[in-house]
Amino acid sequence: MGEPETLLLVASGAATGFVGALLGLGGGIFLVPLLSLVLQLPIRTAIGASLVSVIATASASTTVNLNRGFVNLRLGVGLEAATSIGGLTGGVLASFLTQRQLFLVFGSTLLVMGMLVLLRSRRRNVIPDDDVEPGPLGGRLQEGEHVYVYRVKRLPFGLGASLAAGAISGLLGVGGGIVTVPALNTFCGIPIRVAAATSAFMIGVTAAASAFIYWHRGDISPAISAAVALGALPAGLLGAHLSERIEPRLLKIVMATVLLLMGVRMGLEGL
Amino acid sequence: MATDDLARAIEVALASGLTLGAGLLCVGLALDSSHVLQWGILAFMLTPVARVVVLTVGLLHERDWPFGLLSLFILGVLGVSMLVGARLF
């Protein structure tokens, strides 16, 4: 592999890692299409490199988010149990669906999520009263001078979304944050920053579970994955640091736009 | 171990794995050694596993049985993924 190709791969990892960490995602949802469609890498090589890069981005974000107290550890563990089962069953599900059906299901899910996030972007999932009890899975969130309380609602829905996110992760080589972050925020009453941080905390594990399979199958190209991950790591750290400066509402609008665009793109692949 | 200490321990585990992985990848690219690159990638892949180990030990140490056992279950799923991968391919 020549130097220009290596630099292009580092830049791809950096761009997707930065945007991913900014939104609380791993960035795989952008990286897989970029590597496979734009840089013309074989899809399995693209997915393998994406998984390594997602691990780097999500782990880097988590080191930043833990410091800020945005990660809800227990909620993360509970949902992670669902994503890991989803990851294992993803392969089984895939055998029942054609690639086109997969794209259609995925695309329409993203479109519905995008519209819901957009419609509810003005709503904040926090209780301004610090004395309110957050419940076993809820928590407190400090923003500047204010301490907010949030409670977890509709947990079965959150578990279902995590299960689906795990399955999608196994199938498409993404971390699944594009499903969990909007689901946790829109349906489960979790503030967007906590949803993003807790999702990033889970994504590393989901991606690692799939990465071992790709590794043994020989689909993780050392040189390509190394270049992409080396770009994603510092960019992910930078994105995570900057994410706190963005207003929650703007974060939701960017997230909705990404969901709608990716939904249309995925849907078109399936038509 | 309080939850804050647990968060700190997880942070150290993640940062160590990432630093080791990135260091190996840089050396591998500089020396053009596929072997060193593979070790670097493996260090990245094992970073989330180390994170789950630290969290499981921490939660069990706190005697938080429901979440400690859930975390142990996740570790089991990761183990299955590693074994399945090794056996199938």
Side-chain angles (χ1 to χ4, degrees), chain A residues 55 67 74 80 201 205 209 216, chain B residues 11 51 62 64 81 85 89:
Chain A
I55 292 173
N67 251 326
R74 284 176 174 77
E80 213 170 71
F201 172 78
V205 173
H216 288 295
Chain B
E11 204 184 315
R51 195 279 272 154
E62 275 184 30
D64 185 339
S81 159
F89 306 106

Side-chain angles (χ1 to χ4, degrees), chain A residues 31-102:
Chain A
L31 189 55
V32 176
L34 186 62
L35 293 180
S36 62
L37 300 178
V38 182
L39 299 184
Q40 301 283 310
L41 290 177
I43 185 77
R44 288 196 182 283
T45 313
I47 292 177
S50 164
L51 288 170
V52 179
S53 170
V54 165
I55 292 173
T57 306
S59 305
S61 298
T62 303
T63 58
V64 177
N65 290 328
L66 279 168
N67 251 326
R68 294 172 177 161
F70 287 171
V71 182
N72 184 329
L73 288 179
R74 284 176 174 77
L75 179 67
V77 170
L79 298 178
E80 213 170 71
T83 50
S84 55
I85 300 171
L88 273 182
T89 49
V92 181
L93 270 176
S95 57
F96 292 105
L97 294 174
T98 64
Q99 182 148 330
R100 280 182 55 190
Q101 287 169 328
L102 263 176

Side-chain angles (χ1 to χ4, degrees), chain A residues 4-247:
Chain A
E5 285 95 336
T6 307
L7 286 178
L8 211 55
L9 290 169
V10 172
S12 306
T16 54
F18 178 74
V19 179
L22 209 57
L23 296 176
L25 313 171
I29 196 85
F30 311 116
L31 189 55
V32 176
L34 186 62
L35 293 180
S36 62
L37 300 178
V38 182
L39 299 184
Q40 301 283 310
L41 290 177
I43 185 77
R44 288 196 182 283
T45 313
I47 292 177
S50 164
L51 288 170
V52 179
S53 170
V54 165
I55 292 173
T57 306
S59 305
S61 298
T62 303
T63 58
V64 177
N65 290 328
L66 279 168
N67 251 326
R68 294 172 177 161
F70 287 171
V71 182
N72 184 329
L73 288 179
R74 284 176 174 77
L75 179 67
V77 170
L79 298 178
E80 213 170 71
T83 50
S84 55
I85 300 171
L88 273 182
T89 49
V92 181
L93 270 176
S95 57
F96 292 105
L97 294 174
T98 64
Q99 182 148 330
R100 280 182 55 190
Q101 287 169 328
L102 263 176
F103 273 121
L104 277 177
V105 171
F106 196 31
S108 45
T109 312
L110 294 185
L111 282 175
V112 173
M113 292 292 238
M115 280 192 257
L116 284 172
V117 173
L118 204 61
L119 285 174
R120 296 171 66 121
S121 65
R122 281 187 187 279
R123 200 183 144 133
R124 291 219 63 193
N125 286 325
V126 289
I127 306 162
D129 186 357
D130 185 19
D131 291 330
V132 173
E133 209 27 64
L137 281 175
R140 289 188 162 80
L141 168 72
Q142 183 149 13
E143 264 183 16
E145 304 264 297
H146 300 278
V147 177
Y148 297 104
V149 173
Y150 63 92
R151 284 180 172 167
V152 177
K153 297 181 282 190
R154 304 184 195 99
L155 185 63
F157 187 89
L159 288 169
S162 302
L163 198 71
I168 285 167
S169 164
L171 297 173
L172 300 179
V174 297
I178 195 97
V179 177
T180 44
V181 178
L184 291 178
N185 180 247
T186 311
F187 296 106
C188 303
I190 297 163
I192 187 82
R193 292 193 201 287
V194 178
T198 306
S199 164
F201 172 78
M202 293 152 51
I203 283 170
V205 173
T206 321
S210 313
F212 286 114
I213 312 267
Y214 277 79
W215 170 272
H216 288 295
R217 213 159 40 192
D219 285 329
I220 295 191
S221 151
I224 293 171
S225 307
V228 176
L230 276 179
L233 182 60
L237 274 173
L238 184 68
H241 273 289
L242 290 179
S243 68
E244 202 177 16
R245 296 196 192 165
I246 303 179
E247 279 291 306

